[in-house]
Structures are given as structure tokens and as C-alpha cells.
Amino acid sequence: MKRDLTSVFHAQQHAVEQAPYPSLSTRRERLGRLARMTKRHQHDIVRAIQADFGKRSETEIRLAEISGVLQAIGYTRLQLWRWMRPRRASMPWRLLPAKAHIVPQPLGVVGVMAPWNYPWSLAIMPAIDAFAAGNVVMLKPSEHAPHISALLAKLIPQYFTEEEFSVIEGGVEVAEAFSALPFDHLLFTGSSQVGRRVALSAAANLTPVTLELGGKSPAIVAADADVDRAAAAIVFGKGMNAGQTCIAPDYVLVESRRLDAMIKALTQAIAHQRPNDKDATSAINERHQQHLDNLLEEARDHGCRIIDAGPHAPVLIIDPTHDLAVMREEIFGRCLPVIGVKNIDDAIAYVNARPHPLALYAFTDDKALQLTLRQHTHSGALVFNETLLHHAVPSLPFGGVGESGMGSYHGRHGFERFSHLRGIFYQSKRPSSRLIRPPYRRWLMKLLRLG
Ligand code: NAD
């Protein structure tokens, strides 16, 4: 197994040596192939994802896995020429008439480790940015989504040579060996716990990593917020993929005096958005389902009020104590704790006392409060009066901070993530630098003292 992995890697390295700077048209053509593969095989993608989950909403698959990927490819193909252009850098007057440029250069072989929750899009989205930047890609899909893993392993060789885009299937052992390869960049999407191991493994090769991790993304409902509007957005974010979304709102903080109104609004939004099982999605497997059942059971045993509208709808857990697992761990499922706080300052203090989340959702139109949240909290992204949709804005960097990850991608940010921004200096034929070379003249010292 190990030899295979290494020989594929070496073949890709060799290809990079042969073609170190793919042209704009080669890159656009590769992106076109990614789009064709996704478009032509969309029925297979839907079927494979549904087989992996048991039950998963086809509409949500088309929204999040297929349409999202195609839009990102379209945007990147359109913008790429602009991103690839060398940028002029300004020159201090003392060094004129020299010139300087910043030129994005491909890194080489990029490793991508994908999770199971959006198993197509989170495998392909990093590849879009890596190809745009002129790299080749080696992908390790998640073993927890075996049908999509097999589909990727079948389709990618039909559209790409092994040197351009290869797929390595396997479990934890393969994943460990994969993360130990001396990639030019490694992007890992998964839990913070495994992210740490991946970073350690990459450190041995000084491989730079992008870690797209998770955590508990809070939703703060401020005093001025319309609870119905907030509830509709929160239920949308929590309901999507049955809560198995890295940026799903994990829990809600609301002023205690509005707790009842919030619960009512959430209950109504759940009834409206998830009236039956038609668009239902299951937990990825028995183990994960068991884990989610345990979270709920523990909260119930501790006397929490629970409002459950059915097995495939968000389930409200009212005011759980902070020592319960549902408040200590990322939920990644349909449980939605709703917690009363004294006021907005308490909500901010609550968020700041915990690891930086991947997304922070705040429901408020109060400009002063929006500014306070911008300046006094940390999170991968800060989203006002909505959930999830920042992910669909290709000009926004997507990534975490602290415990929720490092580095970001999507659009130009992804292009630059997978490029080396190389500084290039062009000296002129009549360089001013000869004036500062030894033997040093007295006036030079005077000039330097001037600062
Ligand atoms: P995970 O961390 O449990 O597993 C990810 C992969 O890591 C597995 O497929 C496995 O093959 C591999 N792995 C396991 N042990 C390893 C080791 N020692 N060395 C190297 N690789 C190893 O994550 P998951 O269950 O697939 O996904 C869920 C998590 O991913 C959640 O925490 C979620 O928030 C996060 N997530 C983040 C994003 C994002 O974009 N930031 C997107 C989706 C999911």
C-alpha cells in the first residue's frame, strides 16, 4: 500500500518537474474537465451520496454538492487570468529605477484529505483552487463515505491522468501514510483532533498545511432581532444535511426574557421547513447516530426540556448546563441547544470563553453592536442575519482561526493559498545601488540618519 502511494506521488512530482508552469488555457481546460465530470455524472453522485447516508435530501445534494461546485468552477475560470497576472509592487524612491513584481507560482503536488459530510464538494472544491494555481492534486476521500470514495476513484481516472489528479482510497492507516508524504501543500478537512495529528505529520516534512476544521458555531440573537427571522435562518442552517455541516449553527444564545419567544419561533420554523420526512437526511452511520442519541439522552437524564418534532428535524434542548457533552463537543447533528443569557455582553463573554468557532452567527441590525462583534470576537467568518450562505460567496476567504483551523481557500484566496507569491526584483541598467556600495561615502551616513 505504502509503495503504491509513494510511487503515485513520485509520478506526480516528476510531472511537475516536466511542466512546472501550466498555462492559463491548460488550467482552464482542467477546470472544464472537473465541471464536465460533475455535470455528466450528477445522477451517480446523488445515488452514491444517498447510498452512503442511507437517506439524504436530493435537493440538498444538488444545492450543496453539485451546484456549489459548478458555480465555483465558473467563477474561477472567469477570474483566473486576473489572478495569474504578475502584480507590480511599489518601489521605495531610494531604489528607483529598479522594478518589482509579485508573481504567483504553482507549488507542485497538493494533497487533499476530504471528510464524509459533503463528500463530493469537499473533495472537489480544494482541487478547483489547486488546479487554478497550476498544481497537480492527490486526493484521499473519506472511508466513511465509501460509495463516493469509489465513485471518485472510478471517475477521476476517466477525466485526468494519474499525474494530474490521483485518488488514494483507504482508512486511517492509509490516511496516516498519506499525511506523511512530502507534499508541497496539504489541505485537510476534518475534526480538530485529527487535524492536530495531520499537522504534526506534515511538520516532519515542513509541508505547509491548511486545516479546515470544525467546532461549535454559535448563533447569537440580539435584543433588537426579529425572532421569527432569526429562527428561520437558524433552522435552515441546522436542518441542512441534518446538522452534519461544519458551519451549522451549533447552539443559540438569546436573552432569557426572550427565551420563550425564541423557542416558539424555532418550533414554528421547524414545523414549516421540516414538516415531514420528504427531504430528510440521516446520520452518516450507526456509530454517529448512537453518538447523537447519547447526547440527547444525557441532556434528557439531566432534566433538560426537549422539543422533538420527529427523527429528521432539529431537536431543541432548552438551557442545558455547560458540563453536558452537548455543550462541550461539536454536535454535528440535529440537536440544537437554546440557552438563555442575561444580555448581549454575556453572550459575547460566553463565546469568547470558548475556542474560536468556524462561523459566528449574529442576528441584529444594530450597527454599533455589529461593530462590537467585529472587533471583540474571533471566528472564521462573522455572518449577520443569515446562516451558511457565506460559504457560497466565492470572493470571501473560507477557513477557521485557532481551534477551527488555519488558512483559508475559495476563489482568489484559494488560488493564493496554493501558490507561492514570489517576489521578483529587476535591477535597472543604471542602478542607484552603486551609490550605496562600499567604499561608503560620508553623505550616505547623513542620509541614513535622516531616516
Ligand atoms: P475526522 O477528523 O474524524 O476524519 C477525517 C479523516 O481523517 C478520516 O477520513 C480519516 O481517514 C483521517 N484520519 C483519521 N486519523 C488520522 C490520522 N491519525 N492521521 C491522518 N489522517 C487520519 O473528520 P470527519 O468525521 O470526516 O468530519 C467531521 C469533522 O470535519 C467535523 O469536525 C467538521 O466540523 C469538520 N469539517 C470541517 C469543514 C471545513 O471546511 N472547515 C468541512 C466539513 C467538515
Side-chain angles (χ1 to χ4, degrees):
M1 167 270 288
K2 185 91 189 280
R3 211 179 59 249
D4 246 359
L5 200 76
T6 316
S7 63
V8 172
F9 178 73
H10 284 147
Q12 293 205 309
Q13 263 188 330
H14 183 68
V16 168
E17 279 159 25
Q18 299 302 306
Y21 192 88
S23 65
L24 172 65
S25 63
T26 302
R27 299 182 197 195
R28 283 173 50 100
E29 193 272 329
R30 282 178 181 164
L31 293 171
R33 271 184 276 158
L34 273 184
R36 273 201 301 287
M37 180 173 79
T38 304
K39 216 184 254 168
R40 272 192 204 150
H41 301 279
Q42 44 188 294
H43 300 297
D44 300 328
I45 297 169
V46 170
R47 268 200 301 273
I49 295 181
Q50 287 181 331
D52 281 333
F53 279 77
K55 240 186 197 178
R56 189 161 158 194
S57 156
E58 178 168 347
T59 316
E60 289 182 10
I61 297 176
R62 290 192 181 279
L63 254 177
E65 310 256 16
I66 295 169
S67 160
V69 162
L70 294 175
Q71 276 168 28
I73 295 173
Y75 176 79
T76 302
R77 275 172 57 100
L78 219 63
Q79 301 289 331
L80 187 53
W81 66 273
R82 203 170 280 136
W83 303 340
M84 282 175 71
R85 259 188 327 193
R87 262 177 285 154
R88 190 101 178 231
S90 66
M91 182 63 67
W93 64 266
R94 287 189 197 87
L95 300 180
L96 289 172
K99 276 196 272 183
H101 280 159
I102 301 166
V103 179
Q105 190 168 29
L107 293 174
V109 186
V110 170
V112 173
M113 301 178 79
W116 53 262
N117 61 334
Y118 290 90
W120 184 266
S121 107
L122 292 174
I124 302 299
M125 293 287 275
I128 297 171
D129 295 359
F131 281 139
N135 302 285
V136 299
V137 177
M138 203 162 161
L139 168 69
K140 156 75 180 69
S142 170
E143 69 277 23
H144 300 300
H147 291 87
I148 275 290
S149 177
L151 186 65
L152 285 160
K154 185 180 113 184
L155 292 181
I156 287 174
Q158 293 174 17
Y159 287 81
F160 292 88
T161 65
E162 189 185 65
E163 286 77 14
E164 287 175 313
F165 195 2
S166 62
V167 184
I168 306 290
E169 288 195 278
V172 173
E173 227 174 279
V174 174
E176 281 174 2
F178 189 91
S179 64
L181 289 171
F183 290 112
D184 297 295
H185 194 102
L186 177 59
L187 180 140
F188 168 82
T189 305
S191 63
S192 307
Q193 196 189 353
V194 177
R196 280 187 170 76
R197 297 210 208 125
V198 169
L200 266 176
S201 188
N205 302 311
L206 283 183
T207 290
V209 286
T210 297
L211 300 178
E212 296 289 337
L213 311 177
K216 295 179 83 63
S217 296
I220 298 177
V221 182
D224 70 297
D226 174 333
V227 284
D228 292 318
R229 206 173 130 209
I234 293 168
V235 168
F236 163 67
K238 191 68 167 188
M240 173 76 78
N241 206 16
Q244 300 165 108
T245 305
C246 54
I247 47 173
D250 191 277
Y251 60 92
V252 181
L253 297 174
V254 59
E255 282 177 310
S256 297
R257 63 182 178 87
R258 297 220 296 165
L259 184 62
D260 286 338
M262 191 68 218
I263 295 169
K264 191 168 159 227
L266 285 167
T267 312
Q268 280 170 353
I270 292 168
H272 178 68
Q273 292 184 29
R274 304 277 165 189
N276 49 44
D277 273 5
K278 196 172 88 33
D279 261 320
T281 293
S282 332
I284 183 72
N285 52 36
E286 259 315 303
R287 228 184 86 224
H288 191 48
Q289 183 59 54
Q290 191 57 54
H291 166 72
L292 296 171
D293 291 346
N294 293 346
L295 293 181
L296 200 56
E297 212 43 51
E298 190 198 21
R300 197 171 270 135
D301 288 349
H302 278 72
C304 295
R305 188 173 149 215
I306 293 186
I307 303 172
D308 191 349
H312 292 111
V315 50
L316 308 183
I317 304 180
I318 314 303
D319 259 338
T321 49
H322 310 316
D323 55 326
L324 295 184
V326 80
M327 286 318 294
R328 279 187 285 109
E329 297 168 15
E330 176 180 8
I331 295 170
F332 226 56
R334 68 188 190 104
C335 299
L336 181 63
V338 187
I339 298 162
V341 288
K342 220 164 39 193
N343 51 36
I344 190 74
D345 291 340
D346 270 18
I348 293 176
Y350 189 95
V351 171
N352 284 343
R354 286 162 178 76
H356 300 335
L358 187 56
L360 174 59
Y361 299 111
F363 293 87
T364 180
D365 290 315
D366 178 341
K367 293 280 179 258
L369 178 56
Q370 291 187 348
L371 187 66
T372 305
L373 286 161
R374 264 167 46 193
Q375 294 179 344
H376 294 267
T377 63
H378 290 273
S379 60
L382 173 59
V383 178
F384 291 110
N385 303 316
E386 188 48 278
T387 64
L388 308 190
L389 296 188
H390 62 293
H391 185 270
V393 183
S395 51
L396 281 180
F398 184 80
V401 58
E403 192 77 10
S404 56
M406 60 175 80
S408 53
Y409 72 123
H410 285 194
R412 183 173 201 145
H413 308 280
F415 170 84
E416 293 194 348
R417 192 76 193 148
F418 296 122
S419 299
H420 169 58
L421 296 186
R422 196 178 194 186
I424 303 197
F425 184 97
Y426 302 93
Q427 187 52 285
S428 84
K429 281 199 181 114
R430 303 175 60 78
S432 55
S433 54
R434 65 203 147 91
L435 302 174
I436 58 164
R437 286 183 193 140
Y440 297 120
R441 279 152 262 228
R442 227 175 318 142
W443 63 261
L444 178 62
M445 200 50 164
K446 272 194 200 143
L447 194 72
L448 289 175
R449 278 209 191 99
L450 284 177

